Amino acid sequence: MEKALIMDSVALDRALRRIAHEIIEKNKGANNVALIGIHRRGVPIAWRIANYIEQFEGVRPKSGTLDITFYRDDLSLLSDHPIIKGTDIAFDVNKITVVLCDDVLYTGRTARAALDAIMDIGRPSAIQLAVIVDRGHRELPIRADYVGKNIPTSKNEVVHVRVSEFDGVDNVAISDLSG
């Protein structure tokens, strides 16, 4: 059961636009930038940010998808038969800035797994992290470069970032773990 709607579709879209502008500003344009979405919801987030960057700059950054399943430190806890979504990075990541895109930053373990996966593919000049929600409770020394919204939460709460591509609606809500 949802406790609160944190961002509606307009606020989520505004955050994505702002993140796109921040990426352009920090990287002095988009010519040497690639966006890589972490499966699952990070993928449409990356595509939307890429669309905005193209709209603002006239240059579409390279985009790809990253499956971190085999890089997770809790793989044995997830499932006996994890679902593999596949990595699709059809460009050289060497000597470019890679912006990893995800929905929620929580413990930092997903981001750590994504860093390991990218480093197995190549050697970017920089890796940055863009998330819609940073909810705190880090277990690893990882922070996002671009954040749509900081939402302080308890460990008994769950943050749901919903995107129309998977959920039929765009919003961010919070609920209790038991609900």
Side-chain angles (χ1 to χ4, degrees):
M1 181 114 107
E2 279 186 16
K3 287 172 48 171
L5 183 66
I6 305 298
M7 299 171 84
D8 61 12
S9 62
V10 173
L12 179 59
D13 187 62
R14 190 176 296 120
L16 291 166
R17 288 174 181 269
R18 181 175 40 78
I19 289 170
H21 280 294
E22 289 173 357
I23 290 169
I24 293 165
E25 184 176 337
K26 184 172 185 170
N27 295 290
K28 297 173 179 51
N31 289 322
N32 203 34
V33 174
L35 302 177
I36 298 178
I38 300 171
H39 279 291
R40 177 159 166 184
R41 284 173 179 76
V43 173
I45 290 166
W47 289 115
R48 291 184 195 189
I49 294 170
N51 287 340
Y52 286 130
I53 289 173
E54 182 178 28
Q55 181 181 334
F56 303 148
E57 287 289 292
V59 174
R60 183 168 185 86
K62 297 175 177 110
S63 302
T65 65
L66 186 64
D67 186 338
I68 60 161
T69 303
F70 292 119
Y71 291 89
R72 295 183 58 110
D73 59 5
D74 61 353
L75 180 60
S76 63
L77 303 175
L78 293 177
S79 170
D80 289 336
H81 305 287
I83 298 170
I84 309 304
K85 296 167 190 82
T87 293
D88 181 13
I89 300 174
F91 52 88
D92 186 3
V93 301
N94 291 300
K95 299 180 182 174
I96 65 170
T97 297
V98 169
V99 181
L100 295 171
C101 300
D102 204 7
D103 56 353
V104 178
L105 177 57
Y106 181 34
T107 63
R109 293 185 182 278
T110 297
R112 185 221 36 96
L115 289 168
D116 289 347
I118 290 296
M119 294 308 288
D120 278 353
I121 294 169
R123 177 85 166 84
S125 59
I127 301 175
Q128 299 169 355
L129 178 61
V131 297
I132 299 302
V133 173
D134 182 343
R135 62 171 291 192
H137 303 287
R138 216 74 76 241
E139 295 174 3
L140 299 171
I142 290 176
R143 67 165 181 79
D145 299 275
Y146 314 101
V147 177
K149 189 167 188 77
N150 287 291
I151 304 174
T153 62
S154 81
K155 290 188 176 188
N156 294 324
E157 294 175 317
V158 178
V159 174
H160 306 277
V161 174
R162 297 186 184 105
V163 292
S164 58
E165 293 87 344
F166 295 121
D167 308 299
V169 66
D170 289 333
N171 66 35
V172 177
I174 191 167
S175 64
D176 286 319
L177 192 56
S178 59

